[in-house]
Amino acid sequence: LRMKNPTIIRGVEKLVSLCKLNLTGFHDGELAAPNKECWIESLSELSAYYDVELNGSRDQVFDLVPQVLSRAMNPMDDGEIDFDDMVWLPVVRGLPVKQYDLLLVDEAQDLNRCQQALIRKAGRRLVLCGDPKQAIYGFAGADCDSMPRMEAELVAEARGCVILPLTVTRRCGKAIVMEARNQVPDFEAHEDNPLGLVGHALFKKKGAFNDYTAQVRDGDICLLYTSDAAD
């Protein structure tokens, strides 16, 4: 296959990895059998969401993925594991993991489903720090609903969950915070923050600068963004 149709190999490798990150096909402590119809729907959703190129080899790829996952459940068959397996196998095989009295997790908004499961196994108490508004790694397999999902799952457990919002910034000027609240309503400026300044200027994509350069001074910090209206 690597020589005759490498597209199939690439598609299988990509979907196998995504299945591990998303715990696809893993239900009630077991991996679905390779011949189960549920795989077609699950793999169709994954390949569409992550834009996996199948190039006319959909049926062959979908047939191979659950077989590879089933074999990966038993790494001694091949005598090796990959980076995804290091997180996936302890979860799907129910392996014992090192227990921590307190497990601190940064950038919790970027956890994938398998990492979430492993974290819940490894930490007796968890502190998850992150910002749901910065969940931008969905393309790489992260769960964009990581923080609300972890909240819901922990609330359902005996240990529960306490939410401590960190919504007051000491970094941004008050005017900048007011502008940002159009997107993040609960964002607040600390009372000691300077006023700051919000201005608007055009920056041409091609050719010379417009009125942008006339307003910028040494020491300024600028945020550039595109606007359909400006274009």
Side-chain angles (χ1 to χ4, degrees):
L1 279 177
R2 289 191 183 278
M3 295 177 61
K4 296 180 179 180
N5 199 336
T7 298
I8 292 180
I9 298 298
R10 288 194 296 268
V12 171
E13 289 177 338
K14 180 65 174 177
L15 280 175
V16 165
S17 177
L18 290 170
C19 283
K20 291 176 180 178
L21 300 183
N22 288 277
L23 293 180
T24 301
F26 183 70
H27 304 286
D28 299 325
E30 293 185 357
L31 187 69
N35 59 352
K36 287 285 185 70
E37 288 294 323
C38 63
W39 283 108
I40 297 178
E41 180 179 357
S42 298
L43 295 177
S44 295
E45 291 177 357
L46 273 184
S47 57
Y49 184 81
Y50 292 102
D51 196 23
V52 179
E53 293 188 11
L54 302 176
N55 292 332
S57 302
R58 175 182 181 273
D59 292 343
Q60 292 169 284
V61 171
F62 284 11
D63 180 60
L64 285 170
V65 168
Q67 295 185 57
V68 173
L69 285 168
S70 179
R71 186 182 180 101
M73 287 279 287
N74 299 288
M76 293 303 293
D77 291 346
D78 299 312
E80 61 183 44
I81 63 175
D82 62 17
F83 289 117
D84 292 334
D85 289 335
M86 293 180 184
V87 181
W88 183 69
L89 283 172
V91 173
V92 297
R93 292 294 302 268
L95 303 178
V97 299
K98 183 175 177 63
Q99 290 282 305
Y100 297 90
D101 292 331
L102 178 63
L103 182 60
L104 308 177
V105 181
D106 194 16
E107 305 293 359
Q109 76 276 358
D110 295 328
L111 297 173
N112 59 52
R113 296 290 299 275
C114 195
Q115 289 170 329
Q116 295 167 28
L118 184 61
I119 285 168
R120 289 171 56 204
K121 285 171 62 77
R124 297 184 180 92
R125 295 180 63 210
L126 302 174
V127 175
L128 307 173
C129 299
D131 182 358
K133 298 291 186 180
Q134 297 186 47
I136 59 174
Y137 285 97
F139 70 91
D143 177 14
C144 293
D145 294 321
S146 172
M147 295 191 72
R149 191 186 308 278
M150 288 288 285
E151 176 187 351
E153 292 177 349
L154 291 172
V155 165
E157 298 178 1
R159 53 184 159 181
C161 181
V162 176
I163 308 299
L164 301 173
L166 300 172
T167 54
V168 178
T169 178
R170 293 176 178 267
R171 178 181 298 172
C172 300
K174 295 176 181 177
I176 298 170
V177 171
M178 289 302 297
E179 181 77 9
R181 290 183 69 171
N182 292 326
Q183 302 297 325
V184 190
D186 58 354
F187 196 40
E188 299 179 48
H190 191 270
E191 59 183 12
D192 293 337
N193 288 13
L195 179 59
L197 174 67
V198 174
H200 297 274
L202 294 179
F203 180 90
K204 287 188 175 181
K205 292 182 178 178
K206 296 180 180 179
F209 294 126
N210 201 322
D211 57 343
Y212 166 73
T213 51
Q215 297 186 34
V216 178
R217 299 289 182 269
D218 288 343
D220 287 349
I221 298 176
C222 302
L223 173 67
L224 303 180
Y225 67 95
T226 59
S227 167
D228 293 338
D231 292 341

